[in-house]
Amino acid sequence: MMSVVGAQPFIKPMQTSPSVSPGIQRRHTLPASEVRPLNTQDAISVFEIEREAFISVSGECPLHLDEVRHFLTLCPELSMGWFEEGRLVAFIIGSLWDQDRLTTDALTLHKPCGSTVHIHVLAVHRTFRQQGKGPILMWRYLQYLRCLPNVRRAVLMCEDFLIPFYRKSGFKVLGRCAITVANLTFTEMWYPISGHAYMRRNSEAIRFPQHPLTLPLTKTDEQVDV
């Protein structure tokens, strides 16, 4: 579970431990699992996972490399990456939108005054699929959005075969999307964020924009299946 961060970052007290011989020291200090916002240095890893996940299925990527960098520069706080021992294994990239329905402009624009988060892409590395990581990351992302005071809903567009997947995360069908890419058509789906004032005050989701801290994942998270 994510934890609330107040005005000051939480600092874990230093613990004294007996000296350990070099032969049995840990090989590295990277956490086994962590969730954090993405940055432009993650862009190539993001695009490699995205390209493998989407090109083989639909022949099109939701975001090209320059667009990944574009959104990670403008609104990194609306992204979320899951890392295993420092390696990106799953991610979400979003931006703000200011209209009721998605239009072609939503594919490339970030509207800072908007109250809708447009989720551009959710992808999982092929080695880590069928482990429940997609639904877990989406759940964490939606919990995080509840901590953003101006966000009222999340929207996405997907091919029809993905509708059941997103329905399991609580998304509802809005209707056919006005956007087409090549010969692909999409369904627009939405998730309500408004009406969660209590959760905004009491949620344990980290406030990434103020404190980009990493978060360990629990064993319970790992047990959820896709």
Side-chain angles (χ1 to χ4, degrees):
M1 204 75 167
M2 300 180 181
S3 56
V4 172
V5 180
Q8 297 295 329
F10 176 79
I11 301 174
K12 188 174 181 180
M14 184 178 294
Q15 297 179 349
T16 355
S17 57
S19 58
V20 180
S21 66
I24 58 173
Q25 285 180 349
R26 292 185 61 186
R27 290 181 294 107
H28 55 71
T29 57
L30 290 172
S33 294
E34 64 176 1
V35 172
R36 66 164 173 82
L38 299 167
N39 56 58
T40 53
Q41 293 180 337
D42 300 311
I44 292 177
S45 297
V46 165
F47 185 65
E48 287 175 350
I49 294 173
E50 182 196 16
R51 182 174 55 186
E52 188 280 327
F54 286 91
I55 290 293
S56 59
V57 176
S58 61
E60 295 286 340
C61 279
L63 297 174
H64 296 292
L65 181 57
D66 57 340
E67 294 167 334
V68 170
R69 290 193 174 112
H70 171 71
F71 287 117
L72 294 186
T73 299
L74 290 179
C75 47
E77 71 279 4
L78 294 176
S79 69
M80 187 175 282
W82 183 332
F83 293 79
E84 296 279 357
E85 297 186 346
R87 177 188 184 188
L88 182 66
V89 301
F91 69 88
I92 292 173
I93 293 179
S95 64
L96 286 175
W97 183 240
D98 61 356
Q99 297 181 31
D100 292 337
R101 299 294 296 267
L102 296 174
T103 69
T104 306
D105 286 344
L107 299 180
T108 55
L109 297 182
H110 168 60
K111 300 282 191 165
C113 295
S115 60
T116 295
V117 170
H118 173 204
I119 299 175
H120 293 271
V121 57
L122 160 65
V124 179
H125 191 283
R126 64 181 179 275
T127 308
F128 296 88
R129 291 175 197 153
Q130 303 303 315
Q131 298 177 23
K133 284 183 166 53
I136 292 170
L137 190 62
M138 179 60 80
W139 181 85
R140 286 174 173 269
Y141 188 75
L142 294 173
Q143 298 306 306
Y144 165 60
L145 294 185
R146 290 188 171 109
C147 292
L148 304 181
N150 297 322
V151 172
R152 294 293 172 262
R153 63 179 190 143
V155 298
L156 56 82
M157 61 185 215
C158 66
E159 293 181 74
D160 289 351
F161 73 91
L162 286 171
I163 291 175
F165 172 84
Y166 288 113
R167 272 188 169 143
K168 288 180 181 177
S169 293
F171 283 82
K172 300 175 183 178
V173 171
L174 262 177
R176 299 307 296 175
C177 186
I179 302 170
T180 58
V181 177
N183 61 341
L184 299 176
T185 59
F186 304 94
T187 294
E188 195 168 333
M189 304 187 74
W190 75 289
Y191 181 94
I193 305 294
S194 59
H196 295 283
Y198 177 82
M199 295 191 70
R200 291 172 197 273
R201 292 193 300 270
N202 298 280
S203 172
E204 293 188 357
I206 189 170
R207 299 178 184 277
F208 280 148
Q210 290 80 12
H211 303 289
L213 305 180
T214 58
L215 300 167
L217 296 168
T218 65
K219 290 183 179 178
T220 304
D221 286 345
E222 297 284 4
Q223 292 167 353
V224 179
D225 294 327
V226 175

